[in-house]
Amino acid sequence: MRLTALNEKAEIIGLKPGLGVAEAKAICPALDVVEEDLGADRKLLEAIADWCDRYTPLVAIDGKDGLFLDITGCAHLFGGEEALLEDILIRISGLGFDVRGAISSAPGLSWAVARFDDSRVVPPDAMEEALAPLPVASLRLGEETVAALQKLGLKQAGDLLAAPRAPLTRRFGAQLLLRLDQAIGLAEEPISPRRPVAQLSAERRLAEPVQAEADILQLAHGLAETLKPGLEARGVGGRLFELLLFRVDGAVFRIAAGASQPLREPRRIASLFTERFTAIHDDLDIGYGFEIVRLNILQHAPFDAMQGDFVEEDRQGTSLAAFADRVAARLGPDCLQGFELRQSHIPERAARPVPAMDILAARRRTGSEDAGHGFFRGERPLRLFRMPEPIEAFAAEVPDGPPRQFRWRRMMHRVLRAEGPERLAAEWWIEEEDDVPERDYFRIEDEGGHRYWLFRKGLYGQDAAPGWYMHGVFA
């Protein structure tokens, strides 16, 4: 067991990362060692990344202990780059963390300065000057490459800047020069945000934190009104909304709500979050209140404006969509489901459940009432079992005919009438289905008037032991 991280007191007494725990305790018998929990560390870093969303939505995680923030176009909102960096460092330090940071025109240079120099802002015309005195390890190179460079006397980034590039490429490969160019801004290095970037966004920074749900919903309604002109200018409506609540102690809550049809009306948008608050009331820890409220539109779709009449405000289709949106917001998107047909002859594969919101959205796009197209044909039972249940069949009249009686769920049923067979086979274009036996389906009515849908899996004379299964029941 070895040390992976140290606090300031441990560093002062001479302990270093990688030192064995036994040797460290010999140096300091009172050393308190806590087992590393990578999952908890990652969760904490993601929580800090959520907190940093107040500065920019473009936040990426860098390794186990770093964050990249793309603040392009955001610095002026906080009084400039110097003020923004100072605000971040003071706030995170106030949360109990040892933090360093740097702002520059290149992510690589910001990474190097933050870890190997003092926290500061590097102007675009001083990038090489800021990088030159830093060690070669600041270029994010592998340990073997760093050790090899140091053996050659190339210990600082400035030594690489002054050296001929061709010999460096032959000796160490193109990665070395790529990292060097990224650090001085000659090569682009995009940042991949950890969360999808909102199509439209509006936020409200509050002088006094809010705690009442009614006040939060009123703010959401106001933010929706702010976003409405932007939606109208684009000719779209919102499909997926996200309400971000920044608590005063640093915690961030994300509340998402979707709609089956594109929405612009602030009242409709706010009603979605009214239902969400009803569902998550016990899980939302308001604490001392929220200081920032932000409304994001993560997805939008073309909006077809409809002229209302003088009798009722909404049409029937709109009312159905509004009902589905409210129920899905309160109970989850999977609480209302429909079925979408798929290209398969096998009954349990021929349809799959999908959220009702998706079905309504598909109908709106296609202008059709059909959820999909498949291979369904013939009469199908009202209730289809998720998986066929085995039964015992007796005394078929002919080898390929229906049984005269069968036992299902410990009860014997005598067959009065039968229709079939209807032979179904697996898809020929799926290689894994080549050896799957064919099925012969029968519609059966017993002496009590109950109707069943059962099948024989396999054919007599071709399969060793064809089996019988119950797949559904009719009304």
Side-chain angles (χ1 to χ4, degrees), residues 278-460:
T278 303
I280 65 172
H281 177 79
D282 296 334
D283 298 329
L284 184 62
D285 185 6
I286 297 177
Y288 291 103
F290 302 104
E291 59 181 349
I292 301 176
V293 179
R294 179 186 300 166
L295 180 62
N296 292 335
I297 299 180
L298 301 182
Q299 295 179 9
H300 58 60
F303 184 87
D304 296 331
M306 295 184 297
Q307 176 66 46
D309 53 30
F310 296 101
V311 179
E312 54 185 2
E313 182 179 355
D314 295 328
R315 299 182 181 181
Q316 182 177 0
T318 306
S319 300
L320 177 60
F323 170 76
D325 294 344
R326 292 185 59 186
V327 175
R330 177 175 295 192
L331 304 177
D334 296 331
C335 64
L336 292 178
Q337 292 186 336
F339 291 93
E340 181 181 62
L341 301 185
R342 304 178 65 190
Q343 302 294 337
S344 177
H345 291 290
I346 304 301
E348 61 266 29
R349 301 180 189 171
R352 67 184 181 95
V354 295
M357 295 174 58
D358 295 343
I359 294 178
L360 292 174
R363 289 180 178 179
R364 178 186 174 277
R365 290 194 304 268
T366 61
S368 172
E369 294 296 322
D370 296 331
H373 300 282
F375 290 152
F376 262 160
R377 67 176 187 272
E379 186 180 359
R380 291 294 183 259
L382 180 65
R383 179 186 177 191
L384 185 71
F385 298 150
R386 185 180 299 272
M387 294 298 296
E389 300 181 6
I391 62 174
E392 297 180 53
F394 305 96
E397 295 181 354
V398 294
D400 291 335
R404 287 192 173 185
Q405 56 185 359
F406 62 91
R407 181 181 287 111
W408 175 51
R409 295 182 179 178
R410 300 182 181 181
M411 294 185 62
M412 185 66 72
H413 301 266
R414 187 176 300 275
V415 177
L416 184 62
R417 297 181 180 86
E419 295 179 353
E422 177 187 358
R423 182 161 295 178
L424 299 179
E427 296 79 23
W428 59 266
W429 56 86
I430 302 178
E431 296 181 358
E432 293 78 2
E433 304 293 340
D434 290 342
D435 299 330
V436 176
E438 298 174 336
R439 299 179 181 182
D440 280 349
Y441 277 85
F442 296 89
R443 292 184 290 274
I444 300 295
E445 182 178 341
D446 65 7
E447 293 180 334
H450 301 99
R451 301 181 66 213
Y452 308 95
W453 203 44
L454 49 86
F455 69 89
R456 182 186 64 251
K457 187 175 183 179
L459 304 176
Y460 289 107

Side-chain angles (χ1 to χ4, degrees), residues 27 49 69 86 95 110 135 157 180 225 289-290 415 446:
I27 298 175
L69 278 67
E86 182 181 2
L95 297 175
S110 298
L180 188 63
E225 290 182 339
F290 302 104
V415 177
D446 65 7

Side-chain angles (χ1 to χ4, degrees), residues 14-335:
L15 302 182
K16 297 181 179 180
L19 188 66
V21 173
E23 185 179 355
K25 287 191 174 182
I27 298 175
C28 179
L31 182 66
D32 185 14
V33 179
V34 179
E35 185 174 356
E36 183 180 31
D37 188 343
L38 296 178
D41 292 344
R42 181 72 176 189
K43 186 176 181 180
L44 176 61
L45 187 61
E46 290 178 349
I48 299 176
D50 284 338
W51 180 88
C52 288
D53 276 356
R54 66 185 60 216
Y55 298 102
T56 172
L58 304 178
V59 180
I61 292 181
D62 174 50
K64 299 191 299 182
D65 60 353
L67 296 174
F68 277 126
L69 278 67
D70 188 345
I71 60 170
T72 304
C74 302
H76 69 281
L77 301 175
F78 302 89
E81 294 178 348
E82 294 280 357
L84 187 149
L85 179 60
E86 182 181 2
D87 186 67
I88 292 179
L89 298 180
I90 291 176
R91 284 175 174 264
I92 297 183
S93 297
L95 297 175
F97 298 100
D98 182 13
V99 59
R100 295 180 180 181
I103 295 179
S104 73
S105 299
L109 181 59
S110 298
W111 190 96
V113 173
R115 285 169 170 77
F116 296 91
D117 202 348
D118 295 330
S119 299
R120 59 193 176 99
V121 177
V122 180
D125 56 353
M127 297 178 66
E128 293 191 15
E129 180 183 350
L131 181 66
L134 302 182
V136 292
S138 65
L139 296 177
R140 297 175 292 171
L141 302 172
E143 294 182 0
E144 295 181 358
T145 303
V146 172
L149 289 171
Q150 292 175 345
K151 287 182 180 180
L152 296 176
L154 303 174
K155 298 182 178 181
Q156 295 180 331
D159 299 333
L160 299 177
L161 291 173
R165 298 173 69 91
L168 291 176
T169 303
R170 288 196 301 267
R171 180 70 180 272
F172 300 100
Q175 183 69 15
L176 172 60
L177 295 183
L178 175 62
R179 289 301 192 188
L180 188 63
D181 291 341
Q182 288 176 342
I184 58 179
L186 295 180
E188 293 291 336
E189 184 180 1
I191 293 178
S192 300
R194 54 188 292 266
R195 295 186 180 276
V197 180
Q199 305 290 337
L200 288 172
S201 180
E203 74 175 26
R204 186 73 55 83
R205 295 177 179 267
L206 307 172
E208 294 291 336
V210 296
Q211 293 181 310
E213 290 185 3
D215 295 336
I216 298 174
L217 292 173
Q218 184 63 31
L219 288 171
H221 185 276
L223 293 174
E225 290 182 339
T226 303
L227 293 175
K228 186 176 181 180
L231 293 172
E232 292 176 344
R234 300 186 181 195
V236 297
R239 281 288 315 280
L240 181 60
F241 304 89
E242 183 183 48
L243 186 65
L244 271 70
L245 304 176
F246 294 82
R247 206 167 62 185
V248 293
D249 62 351
V252 180
F253 294 87
R254 297 177 179 271
I255 305 174
S260 58
Q261 295 183 346
L263 299 181
R264 288 180 184 171
E265 182 59 38
R267 179 181 57 82
R268 287 281 305 280
I269 298 174
S271 67
L272 297 179
F273 292 103
T274 302
E275 301 296 337
R276 289 296 297 141
F277 272 105
T278 303
I280 65 172
H281 177 79
D282 296 334
D283 298 329
L284 184 62
D285 185 6
I286 297 177
Y288 291 103
F290 302 104
E291 59 181 349
I292 301 176
V293 179
R294 179 186 300 166
L295 180 62
N296 292 335
I297 299 180
L298 301 182
Q299 295 179 9
H300 58 60
F303 184 87
D304 296 331
M306 295 184 297
Q307 176 66 46
D309 53 30
F310 296 101
V311 179
E312 54 185 2
E313 182 179 355
D314 295 328
R315 299 182 181 181
Q316 182 177 0
T318 306
S319 300
L320 177 60
F323 170 76
D325 294 344
R326 292 185 59 186
V327 175
R330 177 175 295 192
L331 304 177
D334 296 331
C335 64

